[in-house]
Amino acid sequence: MHAFLILKLVSQYYLIKFKRVKNTKYVFVTGGVTSSLGKGIIAASLAKLLQERGYSVTIQKLDPYINIDPGTLNPYEHGECYVTNDGAETDLDLGHYERFLNIPTSQANNVTTGRIYQSVIDRERRGDFLGKTVQVIPHITDEIKHRIQILGNTGDFDIVITEIGGTVGDIESLPYVETVRQLKWELGEHNAIVIHLTLVPYLAAAGELKTKPTQHSVKMLMQSGVNPDILVCRTERHLTDGIKRKLALFCNVQKEDVIESIDAETIYDVPNFMFEEGLDEVVLKKLRLSDDRKPNLNAWNNFLRKHKNPKHTVKIGLIGKYVELQDAYKSINEAFIHAGSTNEINVDLHWIHSENINKSNVKNKLKNLHGILVAPGFGERGIEGKIQAVKFARENKVPFFGICLGMQIAVIEFARNVLDLQNANSTEMDEHTEFPVISLMEEQKNISNKGGTMRLGAWDCKIEKKSNVFKAYKTQLISERHRHRYEFNNEYLKQMADAGLVATGINPETNLVEIIEIPDQPWFVGVQYHPEYKSTVLNPHPLFVAFVRACLDAKK
Ligand code: GLN
């Protein structure tokens, strides 16, 4: 017993002595003047620079809306819903974080007001507040504080960057700004800083850059008790020294704390721009962290160089129903940029609305393309146009890539036009179809709550060696992220395979089909999962890389 106790004490001593528990520092990013200034890109660029200086960094997004998560939001309103490995449906900014940092995020990286209130109300019902009145301050702000520090308390990060969604002055943002005020105070100087992102507009009529909106926005922030430590100013024209000095004077910061963020040709230029402006350096100085090691952006700049100097161009049609808002397919768009750069190919994406495609115009609309991608989606609208697009790709041997719904459409098209199963469909579109080639699994059928039936997050898939996907992945076991409800109906597996559409990827536990291919075609791949979520600057997704290359081969 004695010996055991001594052993335990000794081991604890060494654990404390040698485990490098990090003293996590916090950077808050707020926004003023207007929305859409690109807080997410600034946060991701700063994180990239700090990461390349050797710091471990993560980024978190706090969203001030009342939805529990963006899963149920219309893509027209909010852009794409990004899915993490742990199956969280999150804001699309998390996609930027992963693409820039090349490390996965999780549910903890995205918190909404809905989620905050839900957990406070759940605790109130459990009686956790001992008869107290539950209020925004301290109960909601405490919960926000707790959520901000979950990542910091893991001990894995030197720096946690927290992006506060919305604009300072919005009613919804108030509890968050108040939390930042409290945390800054509690954590103390050099442990938490605030970067405020604003707009410095250029007035053509006056021929001048205007600082007043920034002054007002900083004033608004200060009314809530928060002094910004650094200003990042979005602008179309370079800020003169005079403008920087003026901003510094009016906004309580030093001139070197005023950082210009000029419009960039691509978001991937922003880390370099921020480095030139010294953003990472002032952040480190204010956090009392060493800036000895300079960021190593070699790999990043190699990507940029190839992206900007392509040797070829391919035209790829993206067939979807949310094409009016390109943010709805953000990750697909970015995955093509990564894959294009790897291949030194400029991918010229043509966004084509599936509702505008029909039997008589399909040839005209698609004939000049070197590849066709049918996008993910939900519901019946635009389905027939997508089926026509797949048929055109198959009959003309145009490289085809179907993602999620796009894969399901490829199966439906094959069933209808090759197997001659008239009106074959997914039960999502036609519940009583005679040939449900895509359907719910038996065990899903009794779940009435829609959210409950979704397959979300990372699942394994085993790949057939003789396939185009194996050539791309170069490994047999992969894991990819899902967000769908319906599945390939295995009752049709044999019939399809006999006619030439084979399942080349299967989930080893459930036997669900993950990948289909038509080996007789140059490159015809449909995947039930979303490969686009895992594509990053430094790790372009192998299927996008292979598809883009197949499109170039088709062009030649
Ligand atoms: N609507 C289809 C399903 O739920 C596909 C979803 C998607 O493309 N993400 O299965």
Side-chain angles (χ1 to χ4, degrees):
M1 182 66 202
H2 237 80
F4 175 71
L5 211 70
I6 290 168
L7 204 73
K8 204 170 150 192
L9 280 173
V10 170
S11 68
Q12 260 173 11
Y13 169 78
Y14 279 102
L15 208 71
I16 291 165
K17 188 158 182 218
F18 293 112
K19 187 176 173 218
R20 213 181 131 231
V21 177
K22 298 181 193 269
N23 171 24
T24 305
K25 310 254 181 176
Y26 293 87
V27 176
F28 298 100
V29 182
T30 57
V33 183
T34 165
S35 57
S36 306
L37 288 182
K39 265 184 299 205
I41 301 299
I42 295 295
S45 300
L46 171 63
K48 182 77 214 161
L49 294 173
L50 297 171
Q51 183 191 49
E52 293 297 350
R53 281 177 182 267
Y55 290 103
S56 58
V57 190
T58 188
I59 320 177
Q60 176 188 46
K61 171 100 192 262
L62 304 182
D63 274 314
Y65 49 73
I66 298 174
N67 305 61
I68 297 290
D69 61 44
T72 50
L73 288 176
N74 185 340
Y76 281 125
E77 219 170 290
H78 202 76
E80 152 190 289
C81 169
Y82 185 78
V83 179
T84 56
N85 277 336
D86 62 347
E89 297 178 277
T90 71
D91 186 79
L92 56 76
D93 269 341
L94 271 77
H96 290 308
Y97 307 162
E98 290 203 13
R99 289 188 280 273
F100 275 56
L101 294 185
N102 207 29
I103 52 171
T105 53
S106 69
Q107 180 66 72
N109 295 73
N110 192 198
V111 179
T112 68
T113 295
R115 206 172 277 275
I116 300 278
Y117 271 82
Q118 190 184 46
S119 62
V120 171
I121 292 169
D122 284 350
R123 283 171 53 209
E124 188 273 337
R125 290 291 82 187
R126 279 205 313 264
D128 285 4
F129 296 110
L130 298 166
K132 285 260 184 296
T133 309
V134 180
Q135 294 178 301
V136 174
I137 307 172
H139 301 101
I140 295 298
T141 47
D142 277 353
E143 181 64 25
I144 299 175
K145 230 182 267 181
H146 164 70
R147 299 280 177 148
I148 290 173
Q149 290 177 295
I150 284 180
L151 289 165
N153 290 342
T154 57
D156 294 338
F157 302 106
D158 299 306
I159 302 160
V160 174
I161 300 179
T162 300
E163 177 193 345
I164 316 273
T167 309
V168 166
D170 296 348
I171 291 179
E172 288 89 345
S173 302
L174 271 176
Y176 294 97
V177 176
E178 166 61 14
T179 309
V180 170
R181 185 194 68 77
Q182 293 182 19
L183 264 179
K184 241 189 127 184
W185 179 248
E186 283 167 21
L187 294 166
E189 222 186 338
H190 312 310
N191 290 322
I193 59 167
V194 173
I195 297 176
H196 191 55
L197 180 64
T198 73
L199 176 70
V200 178
Y202 178 75
L203 280 199
E208 266 182 336
L209 286 167
K210 290 297 186 187
T211 63
K212 195 69 82 188
T214 301
Q215 294 179 39
H216 280 293
S217 152
V218 169
K219 217 169 259 173
M220 184 107 67
L221 192 59
M222 286 164 81
Q223 271 167 11
S224 305
V226 176
N227 249 17
D229 298 278
I230 296 167
L231 295 181
V232 175
C233 304
R234 285 300 312 277
T235 174
E236 290 169 34
R237 312 236 167 168
H238 287 295
L239 303 184
T240 59
D241 257 17
I243 295 269
K244 282 194 174 180
R245 217 169 292 124
K246 188 170 173 187
L247 281 167
L249 179 71
F250 279 105
C251 302
N252 271 0
V253 294
Q254 302 294 325
K255 193 178 134 247
E256 55 272 22
D257 302 336
V258 180
I259 305 290
E260 166 193 292
S261 168
I262 199 146
D263 288 356
E265 183 189 325
T266 150
I267 54 169
Y268 299 110
D269 275 332
V270 180
N272 283 312
F273 286 10
M274 290 301 105
F275 177 65
E276 281 157 26
E277 279 287 303
L279 175 64
D280 53 332
E281 208 161 315
V282 287
V283 165
L284 291 173
K285 211 181 279 167
K286 287 181 190 296
L287 294 175
R288 294 281 189 274
L289 292 170
S290 156
D291 63 357
D292 289 351
R293 193 166 143 188
K294 299 288 167 251
N296 174 358
L297 290 173
N298 290 348
W300 186 271
N301 287 335
N302 191 28
F303 153 82
L304 261 181
R305 185 181 45 76
K306 288 204 271 178
H307 170 55
K308 290 186 177 181
N309 301 291
K311 297 200 171 116
H312 316 273
T313 291
V314 295
K315 279 191 224 155
I316 296 180
L318 189 150
I319 322 291
K321 68 172 177 179
Y322 308 114
V323 292
E324 298 89 338
L325 181 73
Q326 303 199 349
D327 266 4
Y329 302 113
K330 190 88 211 158
S331 294
I332 293 182
N333 198 29
E334 300 306 311
F336 273 123
I337 292 176
H338 308 152
S341 164
T342 306
N343 286 305
E344 297 181 83
I345 294 173
N346 167 39
V347 177
D348 181 10
L349 270 188
H350 291 240
W351 306 73
I352 302 168
H353 203 302
S354 48
E355 270 188 317
N356 299 338
I357 302 178
N358 56 46
K359 224 185 199 149
S360 49
N361 68 12
V362 62
K363 184 168 173 219
N364 245 340
K365 280 196 182 292
L366 308 184
K367 65 172 190 265
N368 291 325
L369 300 171
H370 308 120
I372 291 173
L373 181 142
V374 175
F378 290 83
E380 207 186 340
R381 195 164 62 90
I383 289 301
E384 295 304 322
K386 286 186 174 175
I387 293 177
Q388 289 302 328
V390 177
K391 183 164 183 272
F392 178 87
R394 186 177 54 76
E395 290 179 346
N396 295 284
K397 295 201 183 283
V398 181
F400 168 82
F401 195 10
I403 298 184
C404 208
L405 179 64
M407 170 266 197
Q408 298 176 351
I409 298 287
V411 172
I412 295 168
E413 193 280 326
F414 195 84
R416 287 188 188 179
N417 299 325
V418 179
L419 301 182
D420 206 20
L421 305 176
Q422 295 292 309
N423 297 324
N425 216 330
S426 158
T427 53
E428 178 181 9
M429 321 304 163
D430 176 1
E431 216 182 317
H432 306 293
T433 170
E434 196 183 340
F435 305 110
V437 287
I438 304 289
S439 71
L440 287 180
M441 288 182 306
E442 270 318 305
E443 55 267 39
Q444 287 176 305
K445 287 185 181 156
N446 298 325
I447 308 174
S448 58
N449 176 358
K450 281 209 161 179
T453 55
M454 275 266 216
R455 187 144 74 105
L456 285 165
W459 292 76
D460 285 345
C461 167
K462 185 135 189 278
I463 288 178
E464 199 68 50
K465 263 206 153 149
K466 261 182 65 194
S467 66
N468 267 330
V469 282
F470 179 76
K471 273 188 211 146
Y473 280 104
K474 299 185 181 68
T475 171
Q476 274 198 285
L477 190 66
I478 57 159
S479 164
E480 292 279 5
R481 299 181 198 172
H482 291 245
R483 181 173 185 250
H484 62 102
R485 197 168 284 123
Y486 295 84
E487 306 281 355
F488 183 107
N489 184 345
N490 279 344
E491 282 179 26
Y492 293 89
L493 200 57
K494 183 161 184 319
Q495 203 178 342
M496 298 249 176
D498 290 345
L501 181 145
V502 292
T504 52
I506 304 271
N507 178 305
E509 279 160 48
T510 58
N511 252 346
L512 290 171
V513 171
E514 299 276 355
I515 307 171
I516 57 106
E517 286 188 53
I518 302 182
D520 198 26
Q521 296 271 337
W523 207 90
F524 191 106
V525 174
V527 293
Q528 187 56 83
Y529 50 83
H530 290 265
E532 69 274 22
Y533 294 144
K534 280 182 78 170
S535 185
T536 71
V537 166
L538 298 186
N539 265 330
H541 195 284
L543 288 186
F544 279 86
V545 174
F547 176 52
V548 169
R549 200 170 300 141
C551 295
L552 184 66
D553 292 345
K555 185 183 174 184
K556 281 176 186 163

